[in-house]
Amino acid sequence: MTTRARAVETTGSAADFLPARRTLPSLRRAAAGCRGCHLWKVGTQTVFGEGARSATLMFVGEQPGDQEDRAGHPFVGPSGRLLDSALERAGLDRGEAYVTNAVKHFKWVPDGSGKRRIHKTPSSSEVRACHPWLDEEIAIVKPRAIVALGATAAKALFGPTVRVTVQHGKVIRTPLAEAGFATVHPSSILRAPSDVRAGAERAFVEDLKKVAKWLRK
Ligand code: URA
Ligand code: SF4
């Protein structure tokens, strides 16, 4: 990467776009015009979090995927369907949760044929630039528990030393809520080889059951 490209990637922050009066609707409107990092030019639109202001549980993914980018809603594609079915199996209701992402624009590169958009993991500077939106969502919703889906969200929420493979399904102490949790990203299950996929999905549901149990305490 050239020095100039790097400068473009690391300059700016969503903080410059926060509205004076902060409610979920005003934040959503402001985020739609965010240019806090270069990803506003890469994705089609800002995909803000969704759910009730009174939600006791918040799920944080990495970034919108291809379908989310087109629809403008989080977790509505294949990962979202897997999340929905796992939530149901764990006895959790998506309708009672707030669902969002660490980064609000879809980062992608074209595949060889130019027909498909291939997801690219956001850089730490992009996650940092977008963090003000997540901070504001947490400050307004004040969930009892926050669940990171995958390593990008876990690091964004709980810091760089968190290890999903070790800490999944366990309470992570955080100033952000009464409890933090981390588990895998549903897309990692979709990508898993078929012989381990069912096991990975079961483990995901087990992690979510621990969250459900903690919420009932
Ligand atoms: N993956 C994510 O992390 N978030 C979405 O909204 C969809 C897929
Ligand atoms: Fe703003 Fe986040 Fe989109 Fe970057 S990814 S432009 S910080 S909303």
Side-chain angles (χ1 to χ4, degrees):
M1 200 190 302
T2 65
T3 316
R4 196 159 162 268
R6 187 182 294 279
V8 169
E9 275 208 14
T10 52
T11 310
S13 164
D16 299 336
F17 296 85
L18 291 175
R21 213 181 122 257
R22 295 176 197 169
T23 63
L24 288 177
S26 75
L27 287 165
R28 172 187 303 281
R29 274 194 301 276
C34 183
R35 296 184 171 195
C37 76
H38 75 118
L39 291 179
W40 72 270
K41 287 178 276 190
V42 178
T44 307
Q45 59 188 319
T46 307
V47 180
F48 205 67
E50 289 181 359
R53 195 174 67 83
S54 59
T56 52
L57 184 55
M58 182 180 283
F59 289 95
V60 182
E62 181 190 83
Q63 61 168 347
D66 179 80
Q67 293 196 26
E68 290 77 11
D69 172 77
R70 296 173 201 275
H73 302 288
F75 283 104
V76 292
S79 292
R81 283 192 290 279
L82 182 69
L83 177 62
D84 286 346
S85 95
L87 288 175
E88 202 181 309
R89 285 166 64 189
L92 289 164
D93 185 353
R94 170 144 171 196
E96 287 171 18
Y98 187 92
V99 177
T100 190
N101 284 298
V103 169
K104 266 67 172 168
H105 271 95
F106 178 38
K107 183 179 183 183
W108 61 278
V109 289
D111 72 351
S113 70
K115 288 205 188 92
R116 280 197 338 122
R117 305 192 296 173
I118 308 295
H119 156 277
K120 253 198 114 190
T121 304
S123 69
S124 52
S125 63
E126 289 151 358
V127 174
R128 211 175 318 120
C130 209
H131 214 285
W133 298 123
L134 182 57
D135 277 340
E136 294 300 326
E137 290 175 296
I138 296 169
I140 291 175
V141 177
K142 297 189 192 70
R144 287 186 61 212
I146 304 185
V147 183
L149 299 170
T152 301
K155 286 185 195 334
L157 288 163
F158 309 129
T161 59
V162 66
R163 292 288 171 270
V164 174
T165 46
V166 178
Q167 282 160 284
H168 70 98
K170 297 182 187 139
V171 172
I172 297 172
R173 282 170 59 89
T174 169
L176 301 174
E178 279 177 58
F181 288 91
T183 185
V184 295
H185 194 286
S187 70
S188 72
I189 301 169
L190 295 172
R191 281 196 310 268
S194 53
D195 54 330
V196 296
R197 185 175 152 172
E201 191 168 346
R202 267 197 305 278
F204 181 48
V205 171
E206 284 310 310
D207 284 350
L208 296 177
K209 279 186 180 162
K210 289 183 186 138
V211 176
K213 190 168 169 208
W214 182 88
L215 278 175
R216 285 194 300 268
K217 277 207 298 208

